[in-house]
Amino acid sequence: MDLIPLPHRTERAEGFFELGDGFGIEAGPGTEGTARWLRATLGAATGFALPPKKGDEYDVLHLSVRSGLEAEEYRLVVAPHGVHVQGGSPAGVFWGAQTMLQLLGPDAFRRAPLPGRTWRLPLTEIRDAPRFRWRGVMLDVARHFMPKDGVLRYLDLLAAHKLNVFHFHLTDDQGWRVEIRKYPRLTEVGSWRARTKFGHRASPLWEEKPHGGHYTQDDIREIVAYAAERHITVVPEIDVPGHSQAAIAAYPELGNTDVVDTAALSVWDTWGINPNVLAPTDNTLRFYEGVFEEVLELFPSEFIHVGGDECPKDQWRQSPAAQERIRELGLKDEDELQAWFIGHFDSWLTARGRRLIGWDEILEGGLAKGAAVSSWRGYAGGVAAARAGHDVVMCPEQQVYLDHRQDAGADEPVPIGFVRTLEDVYRFEPVPAELTPDEARHVLGTQANLWTEVMEDRARVDYQAFPRLAAFAEVAWSGLPAPAERDFAGFERRLAAHYGRLDALGVAYRPPTGPRPWQRRPGVPGRPIDGPPPNR
């Protein structure tokens, strides 16, 4: 039946159930959102009204929340006279409905009915549940802004693959993307740069036009609500204390004014690790408390991501004010100063019922007990965090950074990093083998990351993400065997049908034969790295 991600158990019977104009939905308590979503999506593809129906009628899709099932577990039964989708929670029902949509064929993902199309489901019973509670995708909209409609579309793509966490990377050196009413210059100044490096940071090419944009607070509310209807949690990232030049360009007092002329800084127009970081002052802490106060109003997520990665310490070493703060706090060095900075916001978020998560550099200099770690520099940070009792999301750069190139061919557009093929992603294992069972329980799940330095538009993001994101979704959802024992050939066979779904959804994926002519970027330098990525 070519389902992706692969269900836990499937039993097929002879025959089909055919949907017709009279097909309707019985939505039990807690399933009204899934019924509404089906009328909007399946209704658009089929032209059927999908009216409310009672359980004793024929041609009914019965949606129900049932005790005895785990929260995201579902049971889908296609019988000769009707269809049943049961879930342990509304989320489970929704994932079951997504599977039903796949069973109907690729045209079920279109936005208008095709003439002469018939709709039928194979008689079957599927029992399924996810392996991990955190099945995430990080989208960087700071380097290249993605307008709101593109973000909503990506939420639909996540939902279609049963991914349930959207890590929204909203701020960086190259742009500030969320409206903060207390500090209007963050978007008035910080959301626009004068030009953009085209290709890797060593490239001589520039796009000589302004680039930018931001989401209003109502845009954010709409995105969060849209995600919630699809049982996706939006985790915002506000980067501190590094990756902050856009904020400093808007409010120069946030930078190390005793080292550099921060008033002369603009929003950064190139890529890499920026030396201009936040000053460790009380003024900076109060400023970002004001930012996070508004962020908490917009995002109800348990976790708030604070970045914490790639923060060069050179300005702090040169800054008399930073050195005085180190002495005043009785700290050993600049690493402990960053830990103090992160620790402040960990306590601040905890006092407000939230949890801090950050990239694995936040382990350096000590980490507050309640904080969680996104392990990106390989497995080592995740292993260290889990052994220290911290929750972990595994997203190692060498495995699931989807901005890395997919092939070694000369036609790959702007080749970055190691070759990470579809099969490489399919054989990725999120739980490090060296963890004990107790330590492994701290692995909340896994996440694929899309950094957009060389992804200038939606089509480029599609190309880098797909089809590898489909392989990642199966790793995150399905209880697959050990990496070497996984049936990649079977996955490829199912993926051949899945390409039809992606086509219907308008996804500009990388074809298995290589990039189409319009997907190439001839002459734009990248930074390919030869050899296999280190497993560390």
Side-chain angles (χ1 to χ4, degrees), residues 405-427:
R405 58 195 174 130
Q406 304 181 65
D407 190 90
D411 286 340
E412 289 301 308
V414 200
I416 298 295
F418 297 102
V419 172
R420 291 287 79 191
T421 66
L422 179 70
E423 182 171 0
D424 291 330
V425 174
Y426 192 68
R427 298 193 189 281

Side-chain angles (χ1 to χ4, degrees), residues 361-376:
E361 286 95 329
I362 68 174
L363 289 163
E364 297 164 5
L367 181 59
K369 185 176 180 181
V373 171
S374 300
S375 184
W376 76 274

Side-chain angles (χ1 to χ4, degrees), residues 255-293:
N256 293 283
T257 56
D258 55 350
V259 177
V260 294
D261 179 10
T262 57
L265 295 176
S266 60
V267 177
W268 213 26
D269 57 12
T270 189
W271 320 124
I273 299 176
N274 191 308
N276 295 301
V277 303
L278 297 174
T281 64
D282 288 341
N283 175 66
T284 301
L285 296 182
R286 299 293 87 76
F287 182 95
Y288 273 88
E289 286 172 0
V291 169
F292 281 116
E293 282 171 358

Side-chain angles (χ1 to χ4, degrees), residues 379 396-402 420 424-425 428 533-536:
Y379 288 95
E397 174 188 18
Q398 303 88 342
Q399 313 300 328
V400 288
Y401 268 37
L402 301 186
R420 291 287 79 191
D424 291 330
V425 174
F428 163 61
N535 251 338
R536 55 178 175 82

